[in-house]
Amino acid sequence: MPSLLYRCLLLFSLSTLVLLLLLLQQRGWSPLQLGTLAFVLCWPLAALWYGLWQRSKQQLQQLRLSLGQALQQADSTSDWPALSEYRWLQQDLAQWASQHQQQAWRPDDLLWQQLPFPVCLFDQQLKLRFANPAANQAFPQPLLLGSHASSLGFVPQTHGLQRPELTTGWQQLCLTFGPAEAQEHLYYALDLRHPLYQQQKHSQQQLIRVLSHELRNSLTPMASMAETLLSQPQLAEQQTRLVLERIQQRSQRLLAFIDQYAKVQQLPASQPEWCDLAAVVDELQLTSPIPLIVDGESSCYADPNQLRQLLLNLAKNAAEAAGDSAETKLQITAYQQGQQQWLLVQDNGPGFANIDNLFTPFYTTKAGGSGIGLMLCREIVMQHGGSIEAHNPPEGGAELRMQWPLPV
């Protein structure tokens, strides 16, 4: 909107034009002559008015841009453009921005007080402005407002403030905000010991449960057969041989379970490289229980050894799920999309029985399964920095979608 000066110039121009037309009318000019003169003189006035309006619009845009940058940087002391006709607006906006900045960082809000982890706010001189109750409980010495951070046990570092006693089991963060001449430092620390302990305890309980189940299923029949054999007054060779064969079978199954679990725990770091997927699959055809079919791009970015292990596990899983079906096959499709390597593996079997617990460690729906095969597959994909998803397509079968990043 034009300023008062621009409006005065417009009114003066229009008034001068009207007086000129009245004077010429008294001198005997016809209406046609007066209309022609007014039409000719209005063009310069319109051009002048449009130029003044454009200038006013640009100044308002400049002021709006400066305000936006100041609010984005939380800085109410920015250098505003020198627009004298809008100085009243500049002062109001600067005052509002200052109030907005102060309200945005109020440490005495109820939210800060109720946070369960330590929160401390320091000014530019590293003097304490605020400490919530959790901080006073976590640190041994009292947190006195106005005290310097070093006197309260904080150690200034390049990336912020740190507490030496919280280096193990804690995550410490320090954020710096505000204008350069009045920066503030927000310190907070998260206690990771309790959730880590609960997670480790849950994993240990699950491992003990699975190992106890496997050991009991194998050792109980072995102990029963040995006890029956030893209770005989005389050892019959045929019965003794049968018991020993059963014990050998149970022992081999138990050792196979331990070997499978060791593969997951001892999986080395992946070394992905560009390899020929067709060549990898050809090597697996001799050991795979079902036929493997390669589709899509032959070039695949992955660790060749881990890729072989992954595909072999999926082939065995599909064969076990299909049972005695002789038509089961595994189709493998590799392609690149964007900066991601995709691997799609599909079979024509009965599909996943319980897809929600598919990647739960040691969970299995098969009578002789260990729940480690798909667990190892997920670990291999995670080693590549990727993710894995399982689906039961409407047309039947099972489908696994895996992706991981390509080299930059």
Side-chain angles (χ1 to χ4, degrees):
M1 183 177 180
S3 64
L4 180 60
L5 176 61
Y6 298 159
R7 292 196 293 269
C8 290
L9 288 175
L10 178 63
L11 292 175
F12 176 75
S13 302
L14 293 176
S15 301
T16 303
L17 178 60
V18 171
L19 290 175
L20 178 61
L21 293 176
L22 291 175
L23 179 61
L24 293 176
Q25 184 182 15
Q26 292 178 0
R27 288 179 175 270
W29 282 43
S30 65
L32 180 59
Q33 291 174 324
L34 293 175
T36 304
L37 180 63
F39 178 77
V40 173
L41 294 179
C42 281
W43 278 106
L45 292 178
L48 176 63
W49 168 249
Y50 181 77
L52 295 176
W53 178 77
Q54 284 291 337
R55 180 184 176 188
S56 174
K57 182 180 178 181
Q58 292 177 358
Q59 290 176 341
L60 274 177
Q61 290 177 348
Q62 185 180 1
L63 182 61
R64 187 184 298 111
L65 179 61
S66 300
L67 173 63
Q69 292 176 349
L71 292 181
Q72 185 177 5
Q73 299 173 1
D75 184 4
S76 61
T77 61
S78 298
D79 294 332
W80 301 90
L83 308 177
S84 57
E85 56 267 32
Y86 298 108
R87 192 163 299 280
W88 60 273
L89 179 60
Q90 295 172 213
Q91 294 175 356
D92 291 345
L93 290 177
Q95 182 179 2
W96 180 84
S98 178
Q99 294 175 355
H100 174 80
Q101 178 188 359
Q102 293 175 2
Q103 293 175 359
W105 298 98
R106 288 184 56 194
D108 56 343
D109 287 344
L110 183 61
L111 174 63
W112 298 98
Q113 299 282 352
Q114 299 300 324
L115 288 176
F117 51 84
V119 177
C120 298
L121 183 65
F122 297 88
D123 60 15
Q124 188 179 19
Q125 287 77 32
L126 294 182
K127 293 184 178 180
L128 183 65
R129 281 189 52 201
F130 167 79
N132 68 342
N136 286 285
Q137 295 176 1
F139 304 142
Q141 60 210 87
L143 299 177
L144 303 178
L145 298 182
S147 302
H148 194 273
S150 58
S151 65
L152 298 176
F154 293 87
V155 179
Q157 296 182 355
T158 55
H159 55 278
L161 298 171
Q162 294 286 314
R163 298 282 306 196
E165 70 272 20
L166 301 184
T167 54
T168 303
W170 288 76
Q171 181 182 14
Q172 303 183 71
L173 297 171
C174 188
L175 303 177
T176 301
F177 59 91
E181 64 275 6
Q183 284 187 342
E184 293 182 298
H185 308 275
L186 182 67
Y187 168 88
Y188 62 97
L190 302 177
D191 188 359
L192 305 179
R193 295 171 298 177
H194 184 70
L196 286 177
Y197 169 75
Q198 293 295 334
Q199 184 178 4
Q200 292 175 355
K201 183 178 179 181
H202 176 73
S203 300
Q204 291 174 358
Q205 290 175 344
Q206 188 178 28
L207 177 60
I208 292 174
R209 177 180 60 83
V210 173
L211 291 178
S212 299
H213 176 75
E214 290 294 329
L215 291 173
R216 187 175 292 109
N217 286 347
S218 298
L219 295 179
T220 300
M222 292 166 60
S224 176
M225 288 184 292
E227 183 179 358
T228 302
L229 185 63
L230 293 175
S231 64
Q232 301 295 329
Q234 231 177 6
L235 296 179
E237 181 180 355
Q238 184 177 0
Q239 185 181 13
T240 303
R241 186 177 296 276
L242 179 63
V243 169
L244 291 177
E245 289 177 352
R246 298 280 178 84
I247 292 177
Q248 183 186 27
Q249 293 174 357
R250 296 280 181 172
S251 302
Q252 289 177 347
R253 184 178 181 276
L254 183 59
L255 290 174
F257 172 82
I258 296 175
D259 290 340
Q260 289 179 339
Y261 180 73
K263 288 181 180 179
V264 178
Q265 299 300 316
Q266 299 174 2
L267 186 67
S270 62
Q271 302 293 331
E273 61 184 54
W274 288 105
C275 57
D276 188 352
L277 180 61
V280 172
V281 172
D282 285 341
E283 295 180 15
L284 294 176
Q285 295 288 3
L286 297 176
T287 55
S288 175
I290 59 176
L292 305 178
I293 302 174
V294 178
D295 193 9
E297 300 180 9
S298 179
S299 180
C300 180
Y301 183 74
D303 186 312
N305 295 326
Q306 294 185 1
L307 182 61
R308 292 187 190 94
Q309 185 66 53
L310 181 145
L311 296 177
L312 183 59
N313 282 4
L314 295 181
K316 291 180 178 179
N317 188 76
E320 292 173 358
D324 297 332
S325 176
E327 299 179 355
T328 306
K329 59 183 178 180
L330 197 70
Q331 181 170 330
I332 306 163
T333 306
Y335 62 94
Q336 292 87 38
Q337 184 175 11
Q339 289 297 317
Q340 296 290 318
Q341 169 70 62
W342 285 84
L343 193 65
L344 179 63
V345 180
Q346 300 168 301
D347 66 41
N348 57 345
F352 296 114
N354 191 335
I355 200 169
D356 294 332
N357 294 308
L358 191 63
F359 298 108
T360 301
F362 309 113
Y363 180 87
T364 181
T365 57
K366 306 184 187 73
S370 62
I372 295 180
L374 289 177
M375 177 183 171
L376 178 59
C377 292
R378 186 185 66 171
E379 187 68 21
I380 291 175
V381 174
M382 296 296 291
Q383 284 275 13
H384 284 70
S387 60
I388 181 172
E389 295 180 357
H391 305 277
N392 283 327
E395 61 272 14
E399 178 182 274
L400 283 170
R401 290 182 175 270
M402 294 159 278
Q403 64 168 335
W404 51 84
L406 291 171
V408 181

